[in-house]
Amino acid sequence: LVDAFNDMAGQLQESREVITRNTSELRRSNQALDERRRYIETLVAQLGTAVISVDREGRVTTVNPAADTMFGLAVKPGDDLRTGLAAAGLEPLSRLLDDAASRGDRDHRRELVLDRGAKPISVSVHTSPLRGVKGESLGTLVMVEDLTDLLEAQRAAAWREVARRVAHEIKNPLTPIQLAAQRLRKKWNERAPDLGEVVLDAATTIEREVTGLKALVDEFSLYARMPAPSPARVDFGEIVRSVVALYGVHQGVVWDVRVDPDLGI
């Protein structure tokens, strides 16, 4: 009985040591998981990209501050995402999420233009299904990146390149036109006997190069369009005074400008 009791006490001691070791390892694992979770949460919170995750019912599970900063989406965990999108006037984004949900377990990426008042924003939306350890569906991860500044920079760079090439193409015909005009002046001053022939030659050159310039301008006008109008409230009296000021350099002319104060803005 004593031997059996000692054996049992020894086994209990071993079991206790195993439990202690397992508890320490579990505590370290939990601590590492907590540190990793805090790191990921901090990283996502600092991202300029809006990151939103929803469960299978469409309720928000996580959302970072960029979602509110980017397009005024004031949602918190537990809220219905589609209701929040509708309240923020983001119906196109809501329709895209419905479309992504109908596609099943595939990643979905699309670019949208969202109306945010005076200045629309261009965004890239990437949706990805969330899966559990056993492959079960946990919901959807939504990432929205603001491309407005990037696209504006690309457009500016493209227009700079267009301007450079157009300037180059315009400069090419200007050189023979200038040379033809200088040759005409020289022959005229010299009263050269072949002046008539030079006039015809120079006129042909100028006409040919001007025709090329006109074709270039016509092609460019088909591509370029005037920017969309941006109505704004203006002071008509100030416009009248600024126009009259342009002619104030004429001597002996006195301008009497009278603007109805009730003209309005």
Side-chain angles (χ1 to χ4, degrees):
L1 179 62
V2 170
D3 291 339
F5 184 82
N6 289 335
D7 290 340
M8 181 183 67
Q11 293 175 1
L12 289 175
Q13 180 65 27
E14 291 178 359
S15 299
R16 180 179 180 182
E17 292 175 355
V18 170
I19 292 175
T20 301
R21 287 196 302 270
N22 291 339
T23 301
S24 299
E25 292 177 358
L26 182 61
R27 186 179 297 110
R28 286 194 297 269
S29 298
N30 289 336
Q31 184 178 1
L33 288 175
D34 287 340
E35 292 176 354
R36 183 175 300 177
R37 177 181 56 81
R38 285 194 297 269
Y39 172 77
I40 294 175
E41 289 178 349
T42 303
L43 181 64
V44 171
Q46 299 300 320
L47 285 176
T49 300
V51 180
I52 309 167
S53 62
V54 295
D55 59 16
R56 288 177 295 181
E57 284 73 31
R59 292 188 298 268
V60 176
T61 53
T62 59
V63 57
N64 69 340
D68 189 14
T69 304
M70 188 180 300
F71 35 69
L73 182 60
V75 294
K76 59 184 182 300
D79 292 346
D80 183 77
L81 179 59
R82 288 173 176 80
T83 302
L85 292 174
L90 300 172
E91 287 81 3
L93 184 56
S94 180
R95 290 193 295 268
L96 186 146
L97 295 181
D98 293 336
D99 184 34
S102 65
R103 293 174 179 265
D105 58 352
R106 292 181 297 172
D107 286 8
H108 187 58
R109 185 185 297 273
R110 185 183 300 175
E111 292 186 2
L112 293 176
V113 177
L114 302 177
D115 186 7
R116 302 307 302 151
K119 184 180 181 181
I121 61 174
S122 300
V123 297
S124 174
V125 185
H126 182 203
T127 61
S128 180
L130 295 175
R131 297 291 178 184
V133 177
K134 298 181 179 180
E136 70 277 13
S137 175
L138 300 179
T140 305
L141 177 66
V142 184
M143 293 175 288
V144 185
E145 183 178 4
D146 189 353
L147 303 178
T148 305
D149 293 339
L150 176 62
L151 293 178
E152 288 181 353
Q154 291 177 344
R155 281 194 292 267
W159 276 111
R160 283 195 295 268
E161 179 63 17
V162 169
R164 186 188 67 80
R165 296 198 176 193
V166 169
H168 176 74
E169 294 297 329
I170 290 177
K171 188 182 298 183
N172 285 339
L174 288 181
T175 300
I177 291 175
Q178 182 182 19
L179 293 176
Q182 292 174 349
R183 185 184 178 197
L184 277 175
R185 181 183 297 110
K186 181 176 181 297
K187 292 294 184 178
W188 173 262
N189 292 334
E190 295 175 351
R191 297 298 191 267
D194 61 343
L195 179 60
E197 181 181 349
V198 172
V199 168
L200 292 177
D201 186 32
T204 301
T205 300
I206 293 173
E207 184 178 4
R208 182 182 64 249
E209 299 301 333
V210 169
T211 301
L213 274 175
K214 183 178 182 301
L216 175 65
V217 172
D218 290 341
E219 289 294 328
F220 186 73
S221 64
L222 291 176
Y223 172 76
R225 294 291 183 269
M226 291 295 291
S230 179
R233 300 173 67 86
V234 297
D235 186 350
F236 286 99
E238 182 60 29
I239 292 178
V240 172
R241 286 187 288 269
S242 64
V243 172
V244 172
L246 297 176
Y247 299 91
V249 297
H250 295 287
Q251 299 296 327
V253 179
V254 178
W255 293 90
D256 183 12
V257 181
R258 302 180 184 181
V259 180
D260 187 351
D262 297 330
L263 189 60
I265 297 178

